Amino acid sequence: MMSKRSLGLAARSVVFVGVAAAGLTAAPAQADPLWPGGPDVPGVPAIIPSLPAVAPCSAQARACLRLGTNEAWLMDNGKVTFGPTPISHGMPGFETPPGVFRVAFKEPFHWSTMHQAPMEYAIFFNGDIAFHIGPTDKKSHGCIRMTPDGAKQFFSYLNPGDVVEVVP
């Protein structure tokens, strides 16, 4: 049998736990991860600070693509401003060539007459090769397929004449 004192202590504990839980769910605190990719612990500083993103292109590049890892970045004077973002590129027989190119033109919605397909947020930089929205899990006929977010970021950032570097 519980005494009155034990009942009072149990009731106060339940109220305390309820108030504490309500406080945690109402406004979660933000914290840096303890290490890059690690857990966020409110009130605890990061043990290892997050490192800035680094892209494998020169300071002249405004867009950088690495075909070997299917990643792309936007850059400003050698510093990454966006990315890495996932991409896919040309399949065998339709390879996307490495090199340094310039943005020729861009269209928010382009229709490919070669492949009878839509190319949303198209940015042409090497003849008929362009960045555009497309499945990043499938290879293309040479274009750089991007997620909707990645393609929108590239479209709003790049302008005709900007340097695009494609590395293996």
Side-chain angles (χ1 to χ4, degrees):
M1 209 180 329
M2 290 184 80
S3 69
K4 283 185 178 183
R5 183 171 184 235
S6 296
L7 268 173
L9 182 59
R12 282 191 298 268
S13 297
V14 168
V15 169
F16 175 74
V17 169
V19 169
L24 288 176
T25 57
Q30 297 297 316
D32 291 329
L34 290 177
W35 58 84
D40 296 340
V41 179
V44 177
I47 294 172
I48 302 171
S50 297
L51 299 174
V54 178
C57 294
S58 74
Q60 289 73 38
R62 296 277 289 163
C64 176
L65 289 82
R66 183 167 43 205
L67 302 175
T69 58
N70 289 320
E71 297 174 297
W73 299 262
L74 291 173
M75 302 176 62
D76 185 31
N77 292 319
K79 292 192 172 32
V80 172
T81 61
F82 176 79
T85 187
I87 63 164
S88 68
H89 54 86
M91 65 180 109
F94 298 93
E95 290 85 0
T96 305
V100 178
F101 310 96
R102 291 200 177 266
V103 172
F105 67 98
K106 61 185 194 176
E107 293 182 355
F109 183 84
H110 180 83
W111 182 259
S112 169
T113 54
M114 276 177 129
H115 304 290
Q116 300 302 309
M119 296 169 62
E120 290 182 76
Y121 298 105
I123 307 163
F124 288 84
F125 65 91
N126 180 11
D128 61 352
I129 295 177
F131 301 102
H132 62 82
I133 292 177
T136 58
D137 61 337
K138 295 179 182 172
K139 299 268 185 172
S140 71
H141 286 93
C143 282
I144 304 301
R145 292 178 172 170
M146 306 183 88
T147 63
D149 182 52
K152 289 174 189 174
Q153 291 284 338
F154 271 58
F155 191 84
S156 66
Y157 189 79
L158 296 173
N159 292 304
D162 285 346
V163 174
V164 174
E165 287 187 31
V166 181
V167 298

